[in-house]
Amino acid sequence: RDDFYAGRGGGRRHNALDILAPFGTPVIAADDGYILRLSRNRAGGIVVYATDPEERVVYYYAHLAGYHDGVNAGKSIARGDTLGYVGTSGNAPKNTPHLHFQIMRMRGGGRYWNGEPLNPYPLLREAVRTRRHDPVAQSVAPQATPRPTPVPAPGDPEPPVPPRSQ
């Protein structure tokens, strides 16, 4: 649903979409480009800032549960690459996992964090409409992205080895 114009405290506007999904659902890149920054903040929690190849727009992905293995600042990305996983970090309600997705025009001087917000809803709606009318897109299911396997940190105990079945 389009909650871009929804009000927020202090007379602010949402300026993004909240896309509800089960906790741990892969968050994929909306466009080709590269990752500008990975960070954490009180409101967005675990976040990714990415841009398109021409640095015209900034994509902001927030409330993640974590980053996908190998995701780092400066990394080139392709549309559909897994960036992280839907979560409830930051000020997201703990019982409502979702992706806070925002698109902004890139500002001059490298100020990627506060560009003019653009409503992504019409773009997502058109993508869904196009997919519904494209028999090739309908016949090709998206590939599942494997979840990263936790690796113990140095000094952590090794996980137990499951017994062999006889």
Side-chain angles (χ1 to χ4, degrees):
R1 97 186 148 79
D2 187 354
D3 62 341
F4 183 83
Y5 299 102
R8 293 296 190 255
R12 295 179 305 118
R13 197 170 70 182
H14 189 216
N15 291 334
L17 297 183
D18 285 340
I19 303 170
L20 278 64
F23 193 93
T25 299
V27 171
I28 60 172
D31 198 358
D32 297 340
Y34 68 95
I35 296 173
L36 290 164
R37 181 175 182 200
L38 305 177
S39 67
R40 294 175 189 245
N41 63 60
R42 194 169 38 135
I46 300 169
V47 304
V48 172
Y49 289 92
T51 188
D52 66 299
E54 294 81 24
E55 298 182 349
R56 295 170 298 163
V57 295
V58 175
Y59 301 97
Y60 178 69
Y61 307 85
H63 303 311
L64 303 178
Y67 301 116
H68 184 64
D69 289 341
V71 168
N72 53 51
K75 178 183 172 100
S76 293
I77 54 174
R79 183 175 64 174
D81 283 354
T82 300
L83 303 176
Y85 302 94
V86 170
T88 57
S89 61
N91 65 5
K94 298 305 173 202
N95 61 348
T96 310
H98 68 279
L99 169 66
H100 174 94
F101 180 62
Q102 184 174 29
I103 302 175
M104 300 170 278
R105 288 190 203 282
M106 178 72 86
R107 292 192 64 184
R111 293 181 297 164
Y112 56 85
W113 58 91
N114 66 350
E116 174 193 348
L118 305 170
N119 188 350
Y121 187 79
L123 300 171
L124 295 175
R125 188 176 169 121
E126 178 62 22
V128 168
R129 190 188 67 73
T130 301
R131 184 170 178 84
R132 284 187 185 144
H133 293 90
D134 181 349
V136 175
Q138 289 179 10
S139 67
V140 179
Q143 297 297 313
T145 304
R147 295 293 305 267
T149 304
V151 177
D156 282 354
E158 288 294 318
V161 177
R164 286 191 221 182
S165 53
Q166 305 242 347

